[in-house]
Amino acid sequence: MDRSCSLIINDIDPGDSGLYTCRSGSGSSSDGFVYLNVLSVNRGEPVDMYYRGGDEAVLPCNRNSSSDSCSAVDWFHKRNENIDIQPEVRRGIVQSSPRSASMSLDRNCSLIINNINAEDAGWYRCSYNSDVYLNLLIISSSPPDADPTKNGDITLLCSLVRFSGFSSCPDKSLLWLNETGSELTGEGDGYKSGGQFGCVSNLTVNLQSSRRFTCQFVERNKVKVEAHYQHEGMMSSHLSLQPYFILRKLNCWNVTYV
């Protein structure tokens, strides 16, 4: 307060908005009312984050560092243009939904999503105007129940699931590589490339092959995320995300933020 009993609030944020009442005496007859409206400006460009299905995702919220809780934080999610916006977190509390068991907030009010899958991809917004796009790289096989002990072919499908849909990936942005890092195109020893259609690329390989195959998503000549596959069903990933994140280790997968 200053000398005139005006209420001074430093470094305001959306949690400070609302109705304020000033009472100068013991009664309410002389009450003064002030409505505080806070105009928030986006503090940065939308963040694109890339993960492999099954990992733990950490979506940042540009919350004011002076806030000591997440009680004013909301998180919203929209999978694509054709689906309504869903409230995932209200006033710091994860809302009840089929996905709520995998969600939580950390001390910075970042949204944590465990064991992410295609349902988790899309656009997210924190109430502090933090826009995050969660993109998932997923490798699946066709047929999914193929017996790896028998000789035969299997088709690997590499899909990037994102908010803008399966048609939004530039041509030649999904690449298949062998264990030496050479790109697999056309048909060769133990493989046949089916090419890329939108955000899906397929590669047919022999079940008895012990070679490792890698799928990469490349944007502006930079590898954003990659996953590896072997006939035993073993997969791993290396993710390249935004520059202000630190090196983390999720389960047995190394995740590097560069």
Side-chain angles (χ1 to χ4, degrees), residues 140-146 153-157 202-205 207 229:
S140 58
S141 61
S142 179
D145 55 352
D153 291 338
I154 187 171
T155 298
L156 305 179
L157 303 175
N202 66 81
L203 184 74
T204 300
V205 300
L207 278 171
Y229 179 91

Side-chain angles (χ1 to χ4, degrees), residues 60-80:
C61 177
N62 285 333
R63 183 179 66 106
N64 192 310
S65 59
S66 65
S67 302
D68 58 1
S69 75
C70 300
S71 59
V73 170
D74 299 330
W75 273 98
F76 303 94
H77 175 223
K78 186 176 175 70
R79 277 199 341 220
N80 57 57

Side-chain angles (χ1 to χ4, degrees), residues 31 47 72-73 86 101 106 115 134 147 155 166 175 219 246 258:
D31 284 357
V47 177
V73 170
Q86 300 296 320
D106 67 9
N115 193 26
L134 176 59
D147 186 350
T155 298
F166 282 101
L175 308 179
E219 190 173 56
I246 61 172
V258 298

Side-chain angles (χ1 to χ4, degrees), residues 14 38-46 60-63 74 124-132:
V38 179
L39 176 65
S40 297
V41 178
N42 199 330
R43 301 178 184 177
E45 296 302 314
C61 177
N62 285 333
R63 183 179 66 106
D74 299 330
Y124 288 82
R125 169 168 283 190
C126 173
S127 53
Y128 288 84
N129 284 338
S130 301
D131 286 338
V132 181

Side-chain angles (χ1 to χ4, degrees), residues 178-200:
N178 63 15
E179 61 277 2
T180 67
S182 299
E183 184 178 353
L184 302 177
T185 59
E187 186 173 0
D189 181 22
Y191 74 89
K192 181 179 180 180
S193 174
Q196 177 182 336
F197 299 91
C199 290
V200 180

